């Protein structure tokens, strides 16, 4: 079954290694800022004419009748369904709930588009340090990992800090469990140990791999995620352990203590099943075939509630349509909210959507995605030529109540990433997400992460305002494949 999803896995890994999910505005260099703008006066005047409409959108979302709407809907949703893992009936129930909710709120062309998805089942899992002392080790198996034999694997342990050290000590590896104690640099740089660690260790005869969770901060929280197996290399079980335990094992090894762990994992693959991308629209009244997309993924990992990753992104996109519908704002082009399925297991929903809508690619006016947190909005990371960047910057200047929103050049967004590479202009939310990787893919990803519920109101206003203006512009945005 893994062969079916190979392309999806490679796509996700390539996106991760670009460091997509480690975006922090303060780390962006000046070369990523927008160049000097020289938009036609007529276009500037047209965008400025939307100021009153934008103010009404912001007012309604932040201080008006829909204040707190996104938060309340997200809170109810994640409390009702909890985690929504690919291949589970719970995910499908949550998708059907959102489709029915959309119909009840009179959103248009509400439907699900079928997607065949994998079913990886975690099962029971445990790890116990046997030497030099007894200790339970918290872990989370990685998506697509195989399980251990029924009786588990009991083996000596070797701890390495890098792939280079692994190779250097390759003669010590056979028959052992490899523990990676890599430092966190950025998500994009460090996630390679989670993605490739098992196969790299298996090259040299390891029987299992335990990877230090990819996070800059831990309160004894293991972080899960997806991994992949290289071709023609023995598959071995793989799981993430906490930062604390990885560092402990490294310290014990440095002191010359013998290390032995018993690992038991019941992970396995089941036959694929059918899921859906959930879609709702406000249809355009002039060129309904042309589309602005607002999106986030509805699936989550099987731990926590998936409130941050990516309940928040899915709900600000969906709530934007509810907001525009309430204000009776119908643009020239269609605004389409998409709740992608199966992002966490390889961007599968979005990949299928691109295949299904290949003939319509030139009709996409602008794509928006939020999958890196929905905390205080700071602006947008924009993919497109300089004119697109300047148009977005001008639109953001209308959103004064949200603060000084910035535009940064970039090509972020796992689900919209492939379309961006094809030249469709789009943007990803930039927000105050410096603690995102504290909670990412853990039991701690719950609704309680949102300390300020107004953040979701502001992000809803941002998506709704930019989406509406883009859908109503007199011009079609240029599609241009950019060098990355």
């Amino acid at each position: 079954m893994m062969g079916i999803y190979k392309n999806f896995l490679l796509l996700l890994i390539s996106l991760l290694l670009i460091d997509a999910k480690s975006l922090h505005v303060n780390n962006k260099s000046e070369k990523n800022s927008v160049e000097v703008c020289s938009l036609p006066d007529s276009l500037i005047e047209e965008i400025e004419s939307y100021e009153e409409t934008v103010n009404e959108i912001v007012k309604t979302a932040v201080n008006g009748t829909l204040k707190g709407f996104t938060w309340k809907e997200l809170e109810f949703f994640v409390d009702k369904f909890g985690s929504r893992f690919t291949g589970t009936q719970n995910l499908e129930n949550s998708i059907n709930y959102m489709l029915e909710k959309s119909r009840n709120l009179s959103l248009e062309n509400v439907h699900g588009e079928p997607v065949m998805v994998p079913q990886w089942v975690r099962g029971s899992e445990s790890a116990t340090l046997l030497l030099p002392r007894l200790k339970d080790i918290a872990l989370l198996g990685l998506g697509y990992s195989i399980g251990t034999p029924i009786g588990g694997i009991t083996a000596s342990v070797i701890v390495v800090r890098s792939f280079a050290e692994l190779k250097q000590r390759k003669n010590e590896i056979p028959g052992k469990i490899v523990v990676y104690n890599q430092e966190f640099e950025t998500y994009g740089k460090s996630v390679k140990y989670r993605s490739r660690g098992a196969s790299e260790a298996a090259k040299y005869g390891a029987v299992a791999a335990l990877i230090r969770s990819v996070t800059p901060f831990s309160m004894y929280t293991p972080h899960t995620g997806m991994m992949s197996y290289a071709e023609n290399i023995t598959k071995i079980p793989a799981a993430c352990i906490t930062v604390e335990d990885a560092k402990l094992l490294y310290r014990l090894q440095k002191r010359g203590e013998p290390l032995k762990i018993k690992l038991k994992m019941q992970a396995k693959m089941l036959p694929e099943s059918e899921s859906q991308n959930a879609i709702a629209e406000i249809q355009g009244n002039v060129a309904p075939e042309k589309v602005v997309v607002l999106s986030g993924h509805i699936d989550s990992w099987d731990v926590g509630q998936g409130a941050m990753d990516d309940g928040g992104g899915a709900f600000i996109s969906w709530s934007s349509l509810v907001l525009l519908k309430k204000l009776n704002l119908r643009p020239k082009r269609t605004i389409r909210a998409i709740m992608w399925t199966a992002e966490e297991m390889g961007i599968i929903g979005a990949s299928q959507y691109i295949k299904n809508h290949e003939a319509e690619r030139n009709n996409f006016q602008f794509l928006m995605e939020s999958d890196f947190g929905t905390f205080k909005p700071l602006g947008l990371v924009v993919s497109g030529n300089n004119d697109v960047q300047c148009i977005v910057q001008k639109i953001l200047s209308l959103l004064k109540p949200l603060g000084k929103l910035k535009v940064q050049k970039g090509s972020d967004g796992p689900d919209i990433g492939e379309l961006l590479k094809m030249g469709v202009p789009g943007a990803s939310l930039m927000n105050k997400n410096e603690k995102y990787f504290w909670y990412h893919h853990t039991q701690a990803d719950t609704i309680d992460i949102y300390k300020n519920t107004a953040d979701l109101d502001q992000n809803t206003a941002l998506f709704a305002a930019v989406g509406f203006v883009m859908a109503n512009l007199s011009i079609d945005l240029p599609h241009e494949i950019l060098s990355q």
Side-chain angles (χ1 to χ4, degrees):
M1 180 174 288
M2 282 297 299
I4 298 174
Y5 300 105
K6 179 182 174 184
N7 292 336
F8 298 131
L9 299 180
L10 293 176
L11 170 60
L12 179 60
I13 292 168
S14 67
L15 288 167
L16 293 174
L17 294 179
I18 292 171
D19 200 13
K21 281 198 171 182
S22 56
L23 173 64
H24 296 295
V25 65
N26 293 332
N27 292 336
K28 286 288 184 178
S29 62
E30 288 302 317
K31 70 180 181 180
N32 286 324
S33 17
V34 181
E35 298 170 14
V36 176
C37 291
S38 56
L39 297 175
D41 290 343
S42 59
L43 183 55
I44 293 173
E45 291 173 5
E46 179 187 353
I47 294 172
E48 288 177 344
S49 73
Y50 290 106
E51 184 170 11
E52 184 176 341
T53 300
V54 168
N55 284 339
E56 187 64 20
I57 290 171
V58 174
K59 178 182 176 182
T60 303
V62 175
N63 295 308
T65 54
L66 288 187
K67 178 181 180 180
F69 175 81
T70 305
W71 156 263
K72 290 173 185 175
E73 292 295 327
L74 176 61
E75 179 189 43
F76 181 86
F77 178 79
V78 298
D79 283 349
K80 179 178 178 64
F81 295 103
S83 63
R84 306 165 303 282
F85 193 49
T86 300
T88 65
Q89 186 58 49
N90 193 51
L91 171 60
E92 300 317 303
N93 291 343
S94 75
I95 292 171
N96 289 331
Y97 169 84
M98 289 309 301
L99 292 173
E100 184 63 23
K101 183 85 175 179
S102 299
R103 294 185 187 100
N104 290 341
L105 290 170
S106 300
L107 299 182
E108 300 156 14
N109 194 24
V110 176
H111 65 284
E113 296 192 3
V115 183
M116 297 306 295
V117 300
Q119 287 192 80
W120 178 80
V121 178
R122 178 181 302 282
S124 176
E125 54 189 12
S126 65
T128 306
L129 180 65
L130 302 177
L131 289 175
R133 62 180 172 87
L134 282 174
K135 181 187 185 304
D136 289 334
I137 295 175
L139 83 163
L140 284 173
L142 297 178
Y144 290 117
S145 174
I146 65 168
T148 63
I150 294 175
I153 294 172
T154 300
S156 297
V157 173
I158 182 169
V159 187
V160 298
R161 300 277 283 170
S162 66
F163 287 145
E165 183 181 353
L166 177 76
K167 184 176 181 180
Q168 184 181 21
R169 302 180 66 183
K170 62 183 180 181
N171 294 333
E172 304 173 57
I173 303 299
K176 293 182 179 176
I177 295 172
V178 168
V179 172
Y180 291 96
N181 182 36
Q182 77 285 348
E183 289 291 340
F184 182 87
E185 297 180 64
T186 65
Y187 186 77
K189 291 181 180 179
S190 299
V191 77
K192 62 187 177 183
Y193 291 95
R194 192 189 77 200
S195 302
R196 295 166 35 209
S199 289
E200 292 296 323
K203 283 181 186 177
Y204 306 117
V207 294
L210 299 176
I211 298 97
R212 171 173 162 170
S213 290
V214 185
T215 179
F217 178 80
S218 176
M219 293 187 70
Y220 205 70
T221 43
H223 295 233
T224 189
M226 199 188 79
M227 54 86 69
S228 63
Y229 289 111
E231 291 185 3
N232 303 318
I233 294 177
T234 300
K235 295 178 181 179
I236 61 175
C240 272
I241 61 175
T242 67
V243 172
E244 292 89 340
D245 279 340
K247 293 168 74 173
L248 168 65
L249 294 170
Y250 182 66
R251 291 196 304 271
L252 292 172
Q253 177 178 269
K254 285 181 67 177
R255 294 178 189 135
E257 299 277 9
L259 301 176
K260 182 175 286 188
I261 286 176
K262 182 171 185 177
L263 175 67
K264 297 182 75 173
M265 294 173 59
Q266 294 181 340
K268 61 182 178 181
M269 296 295 300
L270 298 177
E272 64 182 7
S273 61
E274 185 175 293
S275 186
Q276 305 172 84
N277 289 318
I279 295 170
E281 296 179 344
I282 293 177
Q283 293 183 299
N285 59 11
V286 174
E289 75 283 359
K290 297 182 178 181
V291 178
V292 169
V293 171
L294 311 179
S295 68
H297 67 85
I298 193 170
D299 67 301
S300 74
W301 276 99
D302 57 340
V303 293
Q305 290 182 315
M308 179 190 73
D309 183 18
D310 183 32
F315 268 74
I316 66 168
S317 302
W318 175 80
S319 295
S320 294
L321 259 64
V322 177
L323 171 58
L324 295 173
K325 186 77 174 181
K326 180 177 180 60
L327 293 175
N328 198 28
L329 292 172
R330 184 175 297 278
K332 297 172 184 174
R333 300 172 187 81
T334 294
I335 301 179
R336 178 177 299 159
I338 305 178
M339 290 184 167
W340 308 104
T341 193
E343 186 273 347
E344 297 293 4
M345 289 299 278
I347 320 180
I348 297 168
S351 297
Q352 186 62 52
Y353 181 87
I354 292 170
K355 290 181 181 178
N356 292 347
H357 295 268
E358 172 64 26
E360 305 164 44
R361 191 173 77 198
N362 291 334
N363 284 332
F364 288 122
Q365 167 83 336
F366 198 67
L367 312 171
M368 295 182 72
E369 180 178 2
S370 172
D371 190 16
F372 312 142
T374 42
F375 305 102
K376 181 175 174 56
L378 300 174
L380 294 171
V381 181
V382 179
S383 178
N385 67 17
N386 197 62
D387 285 346
V388 172
Q389 306 274 332
C390 290
I391 289 169
V392 175
Q393 184 170 264
K394 187 62 181 175
I395 296 172
L396 292 185
S397 73
L398 304 179
L399 288 135
K400 296 180 181 68
L402 304 185
K404 190 174 182 180
L405 301 175
K406 299 180 180 180
V407 168
Q408 296 285 1
K409 293 182 181 180
S411 184
D412 289 331
D415 284 302
I416 64 173
E418 196 61 23
L419 284 170
L420 297 182
K421 288 181 180 179
M422 295 176 183
V424 180
S428 177
L429 178 66
M430 183 162 52
N431 64 105
K432 194 172 175 57
N433 62 354
E434 64 273 7
K435 294 183 180 179
Y436 182 82
F437 290 106
W438 292 21
Y439 307 102
H440 183 244
H441 294 182
T442 73
Q443 291 284 12
D445 183 358
T446 71
I447 195 68
D448 300 285
I449 291 172
Y450 291 101
K451 306 303 182 186
N452 186 354
T453 61
D455 290 346
L456 289 166
D457 292 335
Q458 292 184 23
N459 284 312
T460 298
L462 171 57
F463 265 44
V466 174
F468 178 77
V469 176
M470 283 294 189
N472 216 42
L473 282 181
S474 59
I475 64 165
D476 290 339
L477 297 185
H479 287 209
E480 182 177 321
I481 298 176
L482 306 175
S483 59
Q484 300 296 320

